[in-house]
Amino acid sequence: MLVDSHCHINFPDLAARMPEVLANMAANGVSHAMVIGVSKPKYPEVLALAEAHANLFATVGIHPDDPDAEEFSEDELVAHAAHPKVVGIGETGLDYHWCQGDLAWQHERFAVHIRAARRTGLPLVIHTRSSAQDTVRLMREHGADAVGGVMHCFTESWDIARLALDLGFYISLSGIVTFKNAAVVKEVAQKVPLDRLLVETDSPYLAPVPYRGKTNEPAYVKHVAEHVAELRGMAFETLAAATSDNYFRLFAKAQRQPA
């Protein structure tokens, strides 16, 4: 059994062929997936998928890369988090790759999500790109360690991974770990404690080898897990079981469905 801990299957490329996407998951031993909220207008799509399928879960949040995005207030995030299929707060965080200049708005958006997570007790799903030091600083300043969460699609150094681990966060690896030039991510994959490791696709983006450059989907998380197991010198089945157990430990509100 595998869990895709981060995907965007409400996006058009995948939503248009949802029965096939779900069948491919089952055929590849991917029993559950988490559909990530990234905007207020698209959140109903995310929630509808989770409501329609027992093995799909949802998060609620606003991605950090759009300064003009319609915001959820802290109270709105808290209210949405009460839904039984909403198991995390995010995707949230910082992104200095796509956004530059005065980023006070981005810092405040991140802080709102952390406060909502603390009020609800739900874990955070954190995005960081070209902003690792500030991301960790704001996590500390706003008490993200009180709820923990996951650093999704992790591409930072082992030093940053250790800082996140010290705050009680998990590390999630995407298809990037399978890329030949991803030496830094491969090092992290080898060093993260097994009980703090997750795997994901971030589909429809970042398809792993051998599908690199094509549309990604949750079924392909199997290739991520296989590569991580190889890097760690352990059996794929052991890695798959551990990362699945880790998902349900972290996102404790999610209900595991029978195989």
Side-chain angles (χ1 to χ4, degrees):
M1 182 180 79
L2 279 165
V3 178
D4 182 357
S5 68
H6 193 111
C7 65
H8 302 281
I9 55 175
N10 63 304
F11 286 15
D13 286 352
L14 297 176
R17 54 184 189 89
M18 189 58 61
E20 179 187 0
V21 168
L22 297 175
N24 289 344
M25 280 177 57
N28 284 273
V30 183
S31 57
H32 302 77
M34 187 151 75
V35 191
I36 303 296
V38 296
S39 75
K40 194 170 186 178
K42 295 292 187 181
Y43 172 67
E45 298 175 358
V46 171
L47 185 60
L49 283 168
E51 289 177 329
H53 303 281
N55 64 334
L56 300 181
F57 307 105
T59 68
V60 59
I62 308 293
H63 197 282
D65 69 354
D66 182 2
D68 300 317
E70 184 181 0
E71 301 284 358
F72 282 122
S73 69
E74 182 181 330
D75 286 342
E76 286 176 319
L77 288 170
V78 170
H80 286 304
H83 191 286
K85 292 302 294 285
V86 175
V87 302
I89 300 294
E91 178 173 356
T92 185
L94 302 179
D95 192 315
Y96 294 175
H97 176 79
W98 295 113
C99 303
Q100 298 175 357
D102 182 358
L103 297 179
W105 62 269
Q106 196 177 89
H107 292 191
E108 176 56 21
R109 181 182 295 171
F110 190 17
V112 166
H113 284 71
I114 296 174
R115 292 197 298 267
R118 294 187 62 178
R119 285 175 59 185
T120 61
L122 294 185
L124 288 152
V125 177
I126 292 184
H127 167 108
T128 183
R129 188 170 184 188
S130 304
S131 57
Q133 293 293 340
D134 277 357
T135 300
V136 172
R137 176 178 61 81
L138 289 174
M139 289 164 65
R140 287 176 177 149
E141 289 179 0
H142 295 282
D145 58 322
V147 290
V150 58
M151 308 298 287
H152 110 88
C153 193
F154 195 81
T155 57
E156 303 296 333
S157 68
W158 171 239
D159 287 342
I160 296 296
R162 285 192 299 179
L163 294 175
L165 291 166
D166 288 346
L167 291 172
F169 277 71
Y170 289 60
I171 303 295
S172 182
L173 300 174
S174 71
I176 291 173
V177 75
T178 71
F179 299 173
K180 286 183 178 180
N181 62 349
V184 171
V185 183
K186 292 178 192 292
E187 179 189 7
V188 171
Q190 292 171 314
K191 290 184 174 180
V192 172
L194 184 59
D195 65 353
R196 302 284 285 283
L197 184 64
L198 298 177
V199 289
E200 65 173 85
T201 60
D202 204 12
S203 52
Y205 310 115
L206 302 174
V209 174
Y211 299 102
R212 186 174 183 181
K214 299 183 179 181
T215 300
N216 201 3
E217 60 180 273
Y220 297 166
V221 78
K222 180 179 181 180
H223 297 280
V224 178
E226 287 175 338
H227 189 74
V228 173
E230 181 181 351
L231 288 170
R232 296 176 70 98
M234 63 190 301
F236 162 73
E237 293 79 9
T238 303
L239 189 285
T243 54
S244 297
D245 289 345
N246 294 345
Y247 175 86
F248 287 103
R249 185 187 319 113
L250 175 60
F251 296 98
K253 192 175 168 183
Q255 297 295 309
R256 193 190 301 244
Q257 299 303 306

